């Protein structure tokens, strides 16, 4: 696991090069993509795909999606097609400009000084996962920015996989579709991926930590917004007249089950999570997210919010309380289970790379959640980065190399399947 495989230098060079490109997305951006700078990496990947011989390479200059294909080398274009989807943006949760990646060789298990001048130290006491990587080479930040391994570690592995396959046309394999998308970190969910251009009917996303983990089960997710219109009068003469919107918002919050919130839940337990409250006497707005793996329980949660809103309407007037619930994504499992070979091939490919596959219900969503619901079943393979979205992010170089191996085995397994 610690050895420098034939992919070591390629994934290392690519990860460092991609990390230096600022592709941070914007939660409040209204354009597509939310930041123009994501095109910088898109154009880099477009040029690189062309240079290494991918076919049907295309950059959507409106949606900022890069496409490419690896043609089949089987007789009559045989082999079952599949696709790979990764995202180009990095999270807005920590600074993303002027990233200065560096390599620590043969990590010894101790504290890592990321920035001596600023006194930034990463310790296994705070990040015990570090101890899994003793003896390995790590790509790190300088302690002032995130690294961008989420999801550039995945991109480095995918591009190295593509280069390797295209440089060995003598090895039989089926067709592979590629897509690199923007704005995953701010809820983009690959919404502008064109299935007709992508071509494959099934795919894998690559996103997440812990090498060898895969995800075929995510939350069902909605965002709810309760708006309250109050009635303000002078408090000296308010009796029987005033409707304090802030107070009504407080009543609503008190209706939410205390122990069904993120800080009290784990594993498959769902929750209500209030993410913002803005309130004064005349107007209040409560925004929350609803999550549950079980679809029936999820629907009960949405119905409970409506029950709460109806109770407030009955007390204060139907025109003063408005609840809207907007679907975000659905549990991918109900769609993945319709294509059992997706997980069978993935777990076999992971084992072929001498890793024991592991999975657990993902307490979140992926691009694959939305893609699966839209008709492109897409389980997720972890990219192998650690401590994403922060200044202590790092990427073990062997993890990226192993992901290249997994993708090569996956390509081989799909190549043995009937094209239909």
């Amino acid at each position: 696991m610690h050895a420098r495989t034939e992919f070591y230098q390629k994934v290392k060079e690519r990860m460092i090069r991609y990390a230096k490109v600022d592709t941070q997305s914007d939660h409040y951006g209204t354009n597509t993509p939310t930041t123009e700078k994501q095109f910088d990496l898109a154009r880099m990947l477009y040029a690189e795909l062309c240079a290494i011989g991918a076919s049907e390479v295309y950059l959507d200059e409106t949606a900022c999606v890069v496409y490419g294909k690896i043609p089949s080398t089987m007789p009559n274009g045989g082999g079952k097609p599949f696709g790979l989807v990764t995202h180009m943006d990095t999270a807005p949760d920590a600074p993303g400009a002027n990233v200065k990646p560096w390599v620590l060789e043969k990590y010894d298990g101790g504290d890592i000084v990321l920035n001596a001048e600023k006194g930034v130290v990463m310790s296994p006491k705070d990040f015990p996962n570090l101890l899994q990587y003793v003896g390995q080479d790590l790509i790190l930040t300088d302690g002032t920015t995130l690294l961008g391994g989420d999801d550039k570690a995945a991109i480095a592995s995918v591009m190295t996989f593509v280069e390797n396959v295209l440089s060995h046309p003598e090895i039989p394999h089926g067709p592979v579709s590629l897509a690199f998308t923007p704005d995953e970190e701010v809820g983009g969910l690959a919404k502008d991926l064109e299935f007709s251009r992508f071509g494959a009917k099934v795919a894998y996303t690559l996103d997440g930590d812990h090498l060898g983990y895969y995800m075929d089960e995510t939350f069902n997710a909605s965002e709810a917004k309760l708006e309250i219109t109050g009635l303000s009068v002078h408090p000296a003469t308010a009796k029987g007249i005033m409707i304090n919107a802030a107070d009504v918002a407080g009543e609503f919050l008190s209706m939410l089950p205390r122990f069904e919130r993120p800080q009290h839940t784990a594993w498959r337990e769902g929750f209500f999570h209030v993410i913002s409250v803005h309130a004064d006497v005349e107007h209040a707005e409560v925004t929350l997210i609803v999550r549950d793996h079980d679809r029936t329980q999820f629907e009960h949660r949405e119905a409970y919010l409506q029950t709460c809103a109806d109770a407030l309407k009955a007390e204060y007037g139907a025109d003063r309380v408005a609840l809207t619930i907007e679907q975000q994504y659905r549990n991918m499992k109900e769609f993945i289970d319709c294509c059992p070979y997706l997980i069978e091939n993935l777990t076999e490919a992971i084992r072929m790379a001498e890793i024991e596959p592991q999975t657990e219900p993902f307490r979140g969503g992926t691009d694959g959640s939305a893609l699966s619901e839209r008709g492109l079943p897409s389980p997720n393979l972890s990219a192998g980065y650690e401590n994403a979205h922060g200044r202590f992010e790092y990427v073990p170089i062997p993890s990226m190399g192993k992901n290249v191996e997994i993708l090569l085995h996956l390509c081989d397994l799909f190549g043995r399947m009937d094209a239909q």
Side-chain angles (χ1 to χ4, degrees), residues 220-226 273 275-276 285-291 298 302 305 323-330:
N220 294 289
S222 288
E223 181 178 274
K225 185 174 294 185
L226 186 78
H273 176 45
I275 57 177
S276 69
E285 182 176 289
V286 179
T287 303
L288 66 156
I289 58 175
V290 186
R291 300 290 189 266
F298 176 74
E302 291 186 321
L305 291 181
L323 175 70
T324 56
I325 300 177
E326 181 178 344
Q327 176 180 314
Q328 294 177 304
Y329 53 85
R330 289 294 179 259

Side-chain angles (χ1 to χ4, degrees), residues 150-226:
D150 179 7
D151 199 26
K152 291 169 183 174
I155 297 175
S157 295
V158 168
M159 292 297 289
T160 302
F161 156 76
V162 174
E163 182 179 39
N164 183 271
V165 172
L166 290 172
S167 64
H168 291 284
E170 75 281 3
I171 299 177
H173 61 79
V176 183
S177 296
L178 310 165
F180 305 88
T181 63
D183 288 336
E184 188 271 348
E185 300 291 1
V186 294
L189 298 177
K191 63 182 177 62
D192 293 316
L193 181 66
E194 294 182 23
F195 289 179
S196 59
R197 185 178 294 279
F198 185 62
K201 302 299 184 185
V202 296
Y204 297 91
T205 58
L206 288 89
D207 197 2
D209 47 19
H210 307 324
L211 176 69
Y213 271 80
Y214 69 91
M215 302 162 194
D216 65 350
E217 183 174 3
T218 61
F219 274 141
N220 294 289
S222 288
E223 181 178 274
K225 185 174 294 185
L226 186 78

Side-chain angles (χ1 to χ4, degrees), residues 74-91:
M74 304 281 285
N76 302 314
K80 190 171 187 64
F82 74 99
L84 301 172
V85 181
T86 57
H87 69 87
M88 298 179 289
D89 66 314
T90 57

Side-chain angles (χ1 to χ4, degrees), residues 231-244 247 281-282:
L231 177 60
S232 178
V233 297
H234 194 287
T237 57
K239 186 173 182 178
I241 301 173
M242 177 186 286
I243 298 175
N244 189 327
D247 287 344
V281 175
E282 291 198 334

Side-chain angles (χ1 to χ4, degrees), residues 69-386:
K69 290 185 180 177
I70 300 174
S72 171
T73 57
M74 304 281 285
N76 302 314
K80 190 171 187 64
F82 74 99
L84 301 172
V85 181
T86 57
H87 69 87
M88 298 179 289
D89 66 314
T90 57
D93 304 337
N98 301 312
V99 176
K100 298 179 177 65
W102 62 283
V103 176
L104 173 66
E105 296 188 348
K106 296 181 180 178
Y107 171 56
D108 64 7
D111 291 354
I112 302 173
V113 178
L114 298 177
N115 193 310
E117 180 182 350
K118 297 182 181 296
V120 182
V121 178
M122 180 163 58
S123 171
K125 295 177 183 177
D126 300 317
F127 303 101
N129 280 343
L130 271 170
L131 297 178
Q132 298 178 30
Y133 303 105
V134 173
Q136 297 190 31
D137 296 351
L138 311 178
I139 301 178
L140 301 147
T141 76
D142 71 347
T144 64
T145 69
L146 49 68
L147 178 63
D150 179 7
D151 199 26
K152 291 169 183 174
I155 297 175
S157 295
V158 168
M159 292 297 289
T160 302
F161 156 76
V162 174
E163 182 179 39
N164 183 271
V165 172
L166 290 172
S167 64
H168 291 284
E170 75 281 3
I171 299 177
H173 61 79
V176 183
S177 296
L178 310 165
F180 305 88
T181 63
D183 288 336
E184 188 271 348
E185 300 291 1
V186 294
L189 298 177
K191 63 182 177 62
D192 293 316
L193 181 66
E194 294 182 23
F195 289 179
S196 59
R197 185 178 294 279
F198 185 62
K201 302 299 184 185
V202 296
Y204 297 91
T205 58
L206 288 89
D207 197 2
D209 47 19
H210 307 324
L211 176 69
Y213 271 80
Y214 69 91
M215 302 162 194
D216 65 350
E217 183 174 3
T218 61
F219 274 141
N220 294 289
S222 288
E223 181 178 274
K225 185 174 294 185
L226 186 78
E227 293 191 76
I228 303 156
T229 302
L231 177 60
S232 178
V233 297
H234 194 287
T237 57
K239 186 173 182 178
I241 301 173
M242 177 186 286
I243 298 175
N244 189 327
D247 287 344
V248 178
E251 288 183 48
F252 173 73
L253 294 173
S254 71
M255 295 176 181
L256 300 178
R258 178 180 177 185
F259 293 106
E260 295 182 24
R261 306 187 187 195
Q263 61 268 41
H264 300 298
T265 59
W267 201 239
R268 282 189 171 85
E269 297 170 323
F271 57 74
F272 302 96
H273 176 45
V274 177
I275 57 177
S276 69
V277 180
H278 302 281
D280 56 29
V281 175
E282 291 198 334
H283 184 262
E285 182 176 289
V286 179
T287 303
L288 66 156
I289 58 175
V290 186
R291 300 290 189 266
D292 210 299
H293 286 95
D294 183 271
R295 185 154 190 161
T296 300
Q297 290 299 319
F298 176 74
E299 290 171 352
H300 288 167
R301 290 185 183 281
E302 291 186 321
Y304 179 71
L305 291 181
Q306 189 61 60
T307 298
C308 294
D310 289 345
L312 295 174
K313 288 180 180 182
E315 183 171 357
Y316 298 105
D319 60 336
R320 295 195 176 276
V321 178
L323 175 70
T324 56
I325 300 177
E326 181 178 344
Q327 176 180 314
Q328 294 177 304
Y329 53 85
R330 289 294 179 259
N331 188 345
M332 65 166 68
K333 189 168 180 60
E334 62 183 279
F335 309 103
I336 303 301
D337 284 352
C338 296
C339 306
Y341 64 87
L342 282 171
I343 301 304
E344 292 168 3
N345 281 358
L346 182 57
T347 53
E348 178 62 16
I350 295 171
R351 290 191 180 98
M352 291 169 74
E354 301 180 331
I355 303 169
E356 185 58 33
Q358 298 183 67
T359 188
E360 60 186 26
F362 183 50
R363 290 178 64 80
T366 70
D367 279 348
S369 304
L371 290 172
S372 296
E373 187 179 10
R374 286 173 54 198
L376 181 67
S378 303
N380 184 70
L381 170 66
S382 287
Y385 52 75
E386 296 280 358

